[in-house]
Amino acid sequence: MSVATGAEPDLAPVSPVTTGPEGGAAALLGGPRRRRALATRRQKLVAGVIVLSALGLLVFRGLTSAMDYYLTAAQAVAQKAQLGTRDFRIQGTVMRDVHQVGATLDFTITSHGVRVPVVSTGSPSSLFKPGIPVVLDGHWQGDHFSSYQIMVQHGSNYVEAHPRTAAAGAPAR
Amino acid sequence: MRFAEVPPAPSTGARLPARSSLLTRALGLSAVVGLGITTWWGLWVSPPDVVQGQYVRMLYVHPAVATMCYAAFGLCALGSIAWLWPRLRSPRWDRLAVAGAEVGSVFCLATLVTGSIWGRATWGVWWTWDARLTLTAVLFALSLGYLALRRAIDNPSSRSYVSSMVAVLMVLTVVVDHYATTWWVTLHQNTSLFKPGPSVHGWQLATMGMSFVAFGLVLAWLMVHRYRLEALEERYEREGLSAALEARRSEGPAATGRPGRGGPQPAVGVPAPVPVAGQARDQEVVAR
């Protein structure tokens, strides 16, 4: 809305930072510019709430699960009574007794001399093999660990498989 | 102020330096050459790994990209802290900060994407909530928050002040993220390079080193251009506004030849503005 006064300043509506005909008296009366400003402020508020909520979720997930990402097989056996049948992650090195029975994979993991038999329905990556450390999602079921996800853990040491040639490059099994 | 709200660029006077200099072109060319050498060595020269096989080739992308992400956020924090320091306060530092944040967020996204691809191939999952991954996601969210803040606050001084605080928070997150694999148990492996006695050798080490050089050049090139863009944007706003003011002045009384500070005259055929009731009363009082 514009109020004709007949005495507008020379340089009134040249840029958004100056108060133009819509932003002067109209703003005081709750005109469209004021409504737009309120809408913009509301959008900013909603955007801020979304960003903060996302951040809060990430931090919450981080604090609750990331700091104690897994228990070693030895720790899991020691805490078996407290863990009950709730889900947690267990870590250990795969032993040689890997058997595929239909869609399930039976094997044993070891850590600090403690062995844990595993029955898994998860499909591991192609790096899965005896001797490689794995992290398993699942829970205790009787005397074995029932897993639904296998994650292969690899170290930070890298060794060239075939020095000076990249020809035969299938992942080592 | 947004571009959409800025008056048209001044058609007369200063020409904005929209083109890059010889130095930045050389920098860009070096980055392309570096990326080319990294690709060549990474795909054809470097051999596969004993454990990871061909998947080891992600080693020539992901660690370098992640390190450049940290470096960009480091530059952002440097600019922000310098801006907060009263003796050093200058728009240049603010430009460095915003350039670092924007380039850093691009590298952070690239880190998440390349890490996710590598994770699916080797770990068997696209994503998991371990400390390193979670903190990198937090860092990315913070960088988006930083960029959103820069757009949300109109006052330049308040904008720089608030975003500087977020930048300091981001660089603290970078430090914790870097040490996450040391401080906590994670699925993510520990560092291979930045430790006494690196655990990468031969062509793998050479290619990894080359990738750091190449992505470092990319970072420098992006930083220079983003910094220049920010400076141009500031200049555009300043000069665009000046030009608009000049144009408006030229439409005023001086242009019509009338002396004094009278308001703009109605165009031919347009009725004269009707004084509002209050003004008419005031005029009567003055007349008496």
Side-chain angles (χ1 to χ4, degrees):
Chain A
M1 189 176 78
S2 177
V3 178
T5 61
E8 288 176 66
D10 286 350
L11 307 174
V14 292
S15 84
V17 289
T18 59
T19 305
E22 283 187 347
L28 295 171
L29 298 170
R33 186 172 177 138
R34 183 173 168 77
R35 279 200 294 277
R36 271 204 302 276
L38 279 172
T40 310
R41 207 172 298 160
R42 206 171 297 139
Q43 282 171 0
K44 286 175 186 172
L45 190 71
V46 169
V49 167
I50 289 170
V51 169
L52 283 176
S53 305
L55 202 60
L57 176 72
L58 288 172
V59 171
F60 175 76
R61 292 297 303 261
L63 288 175
T64 50
S65 73
M67 302 310 156
D68 294 315
Y69 186 70
Y70 59 71
L71 298 173
T72 62
Q75 289 170 329
V77 169
Q79 299 175 28
K80 192 173 179 182
Q82 294 101 300
L83 291 166
T85 56
R86 74 175 171 86
D87 279 1
F88 67 99
R89 294 191 193 95
I90 190 170
Q91 190 264 0
T93 303
V94 179
M95 298 187 72
R96 290 186 177 277
D97 58 339
V98 180
H99 303 291
Q100 177 110 34
V101 183
T104 62
L105 209 56
D106 293 354
F107 56 94
T108 304
I109 58 169
T110 179
S111 160
H112 299 99
V114 176
R115 294 179 180 192
V116 173
V118 176
V119 175
S120 177
T121 53
S123 55
S125 81
S126 59
L127 303 189
F128 181 83
K129 63 177 181 177
I132 203 157
V134 288
V135 176
L136 312 167
D137 270 307
H139 54 266
W140 285 115
Q141 194 168 52
D143 61 346
H144 71 269
F145 187 80
S146 175
S147 164
Y148 57 87
Q149 188 167 57
I150 303 171
M151 290 177 282
V152 173
Q153 197 180 26
H154 61 82
S156 55
N157 292 324
Y158 298 88
V159 179
E160 295 176 352
H162 309 289
R164 303 200 62 77
T165 171
R173 295 265 172 189
Chain B
M1 192 190 296
R2 304 282 169 265
F3 260 126
E5 299 166 340
V6 177
S11 55
T12 56
R15 188 173 64 86
L16 297 178
R19 302 185 70 178
S20 59
S21 67
L22 190 66
L23 190 69
T24 54
R25 280 185 223 172
L27 190 63
L29 189 67
S30 307
V32 170
V33 170
L35 287 175
I37 294 172
T38 304
T39 307
W40 175 38
W41 288 3
L43 290 180
W44 287 283
V45 178
S46 172
D49 185 69
V50 165
V51 176
Q52 295 193 36
Q54 300 289 8
Y55 301 145
V56 77
R57 303 191 191 284
M58 289 302 289
L59 183 68
Y60 313 134
V61 180
H62 179 69
V65 166
T67 305
M68 295 315 135
C69 161
Y70 289 170
F73 287 135
L75 288 170
C76 174
L78 176 74
S80 299
I81 291 166
W83 189 90
L84 286 171
W85 200 267
R87 283 189 174 188
L88 294 173
R89 185 164 297 174
S90 153
R92 290 176 185 174
W93 292 118
D94 194 46
R95 278 179 223 140
L96 178 69
V98 71
E102 208 163 295
V103 174
S105 58
V106 170
F107 274 108
C108 195
L109 180 63
T111 303
L112 290 170
V113 171
T114 55
S116 190
I117 293 167
W118 199 5
R120 181 68 185 86
T122 55
W123 300 335
V125 290
W126 293 104
W127 182 264
T128 186
W129 293 97
D130 85 341
R132 167 60 67 82
L133 274 66
T134 304
L135 283 164
T136 308
V138 168
L139 188 60
F140 184 59
L142 277 173
S143 72
L144 292 184
Y146 178 99
L147 296 175
L149 267 177
R150 300 256 352 162
R151 293 203 167 270
I153 303 172
D154 285 333
N155 183 296
S157 183
S158 309
R159 179 174 59 204
S160 302
Y161 183 79
V162 175
S163 53
S164 295
M165 296 296 175
V166 179
V168 172
L169 189 63
M170 282 200 298
V171 83
L172 290 176
T173 310
V174 164
V175 174
V176 179
D177 194 17
H178 177 69
Y179 286 106
T181 54
T182 310
W183 292 343
W184 299 291
V185 288
T186 58
L187 183 65
H188 195 285
Q189 69 272 28
N190 211 332
T191 181
S192 311
L193 211 56
F194 302 112
K195 63 180 183 181
S199 48
V200 191
H201 310 278
W203 273 109
Q204 290 182 336
L205 180 62
T207 312
M208 198 178 176
M210 191 65 222
S211 74
F212 274 79
V213 171
F215 282 105
L217 289 167
V218 172
L219 170 73
W221 185 80
L222 286 173
M223 284 293 296
V224 166
H225 280 281
R226 186 60 190 87
Y227 182 95
R228 174 185 281 132
L229 183 66
E230 190 66 17
L232 280 171
E233 204 168 321
E234 285 171 16
R235 191 171 162 187
Y236 187 92
E237 284 183 17
R238 199 172 53 241
E239 294 190 0
L241 183 62
S242 304
L245 286 167
E246 280 302 316
R248 186 64 180 165
R249 281 197 187 98
S250 68
E251 292 169 7
T256 55
R258 286 192 320 108
R261 281 186 50 81
Q265 294 302 297
V268 176
V270 177
V274 179
V276 294
Q279 278 182 332
R281 194 167 50 244
D282 291 348
Q283 282 167 4
E284 282 174 24
V285 170
V286 171
R288 274 187 226 135

